[in-house]
Amino acid sequence: MSIPSKDQELFELMKQELYTPVIGDILDDLGRYHQILPPVIQPMKEHMVLAGRAMPVNMIDVYGKQEKPFGLLTEALDQLQSGDIYIASGGQMRCAYWGEILTATARSRQAAGAIINGYHRDTPQVLEQNWPVFSRGRYAQDSSVRTKVVDYRCPIEVEGVWINPGDLIFADLDGVLVIPQELEVEVIERALEKAKGEKLVRKEIEAGLSSTAAFQKYGIL
């Protein structure tokens, strides 16, 4: 199955037809065994599904008032483009890395969502904006005297998962997955075929076929 050449059409197709386990299976088959972020990074609401291009952000710890509070945070937000996913990591996670105003800014710039390897705050105010945010959970503590952005649209690493600017990101209730750009066409085409196959196998099992017979027939379990 061929995939759309336009990003927005691709993102919509992924959200309608795919899910992280089926994509992860294809990446495993290609020998890419470390493409899913830590399982503690979860959507703020279970229904949130996210597809877009990585806009990685590098953060470090600071201690006390800064000459430039938040570092390059505002610059990182202001250069977001349609379909970008703000994906931030770094430091010891001593505070919230995301909140109400950051959500409003990114959303107004038509970014696709945010993935935070750390905490968010302003939870009701973020949720009312109906925009997908994934994080490690809630924490009220402010970031201005505890962390800052030192670079953006740069490669980052999150617990062994390497993320380059422009990598394809897919996230749902089961996790956050990074698809390297050089593999994305093959991965998505094969994932769509596998998703179709899994639907067929389920129907046959529900009709009485055994799991062993289904696996022998389709190679899917």
Side-chain angles (χ1 to χ4, degrees), residues 19-180:
Y19 38 99
T20 49
V22 75
I23 300 174
D25 290 352
I26 301 302
L27 285 162
D28 280 349
D29 193 49
L30 293 172
R32 297 298 184 101
Y33 302 133
H34 304 289
Q35 298 302 134
I36 299 179
L37 298 190
V40 293
I41 302 176
Q42 292 285 316
M44 290 181 67
K45 285 288 187 180
E46 290 186 356
H47 71 271
M48 290 177 173
V49 179
L50 180 53
R53 296 283 176 191
M55 201 294 285
V57 176
N58 188 21
M59 306 185 71
I60 64 169
D61 291 325
V62 298
Y63 302 89
K65 292 184 178 180
Q66 302 295 298
E67 183 176 341
K68 184 178 181 180
F70 308 109
L72 299 177
L73 174 61
T74 58
E75 289 88 343
L77 291 167
D78 287 343
Q79 58 82 56
L80 283 169
Q81 300 172 18
S82 176
D84 278 348
I85 295 175
Y86 184 104
I87 180 163
S89 186
Q92 296 184 34
M93 295 176 278
R94 299 156 48 236
C95 57
Y97 288 3
W98 194 260
E100 175 186 10
I101 302 305
L102 279 67
T103 301
T105 304
R107 182 169 174 264
S108 71
R109 294 196 57 81
Q110 300 183 327
I115 295 168
I116 308 301
N117 185 30
Y119 302 102
H120 71 268
R121 67 178 197 168
D122 308 325
T123 301
Q125 294 83 2
V126 173
L127 288 174
E128 71 184 13
Q129 296 182 60
N130 193 30
W131 192 79
V133 175
F134 288 63
S135 81
R136 287 177 175 253
R138 304 180 294 272
Y139 190 25
Q141 191 143 264
D142 185 40
S143 63
S144 65
V145 296
R146 297 179 179 89
T147 190
K148 69 179 180 181
V149 173
V150 292
D151 202 2
Y152 56 87
R153 213 170 282 280
C154 60
I156 62 172
E157 184 180 354
V158 179
E159 294 191 18
V161 181
W162 194 261
I163 306 165
N164 286 300
D167 279 346
L168 191 56
I169 305 293
F170 187 79
D172 60 17
L173 183 58
D174 282 331
V176 178
L177 189 145
V178 181
I179 307 167

